[in-house]
Amino acid sequence: MEIIKKPILTEKASILTEKLNRYAFKVDHRANKIQIKLAVEEMFGVTVVAVNTAVVAGKTKSRHTKAGFVSGRSPKYKKAIITVKDGETIDFYSTL
């Protein structure tokens, strides 16, 4: 099971990183906080102080096409917000 799927690089997440030393990740919906903490510490080599999780509900999407009105949902996902020890950082762009 791959616990950390990808980082969330939004404007809101970057403000959290700058002000509070927190990082947001999209994670496997079956992973718990302990597993997420161990995965981040192993992958990035940092000390994790706290892990907060939330299940983000999928949005309803709709559009007009030639075939008529089409509606559906984007999938839900689990988000983890990781607080890292002061002075430590995670560089997402070093692995590119």
Side-chain angles (χ1 to χ4, degrees), residues 1-8 24-37 39-40 43 51-56 76-82:
M1 174 170 73
E2 184 181 313
I3 294 173
I4 298 174
K5 292 185 178 177
K6 64 181 186 178
I8 298 174
F25 293 96
K26 206 178 257 196
V27 296
D28 191 288
H29 66 92
R30 296 167 292 187
N32 61 30
K33 291 182 181 187
I34 297 165
Q35 293 170 327
I36 294 167
K37 177 181 177 176
V40 170
M43 187 179 282
V51 177
N52 298 85
T53 58
V55 176
V56 179
K76 67 178 185 174
Y77 63 93
K78 189 170 193 176
K79 176 169 61 173
I81 298 176
I82 312 294

Side-chain angles (χ1 to χ4, degrees), residues 36-87:
I36 294 167
K37 177 181 177 176
L38 293 173
V40 170
E41 287 178 342
E42 181 185 316
M43 187 179 282
F44 298 105
V46 294
T47 307
V48 175
V49 177
V51 177
N52 298 85
T53 58
V55 176
V56 179
K59 294 181 180 179
T60 56
K61 305 265 185 173
S62 59
R63 63 178 180 225
H64 296 283
T65 63
K66 274 200 249 182
F69 187 74
V70 178
S71 64
R73 292 186 71 85
S74 62
K76 67 178 185 174
Y77 63 93
K78 189 170 193 176
K79 176 169 61 173
I81 298 176
I82 312 294
T83 307
V84 179
K85 187 177 170 185
D86 285 342

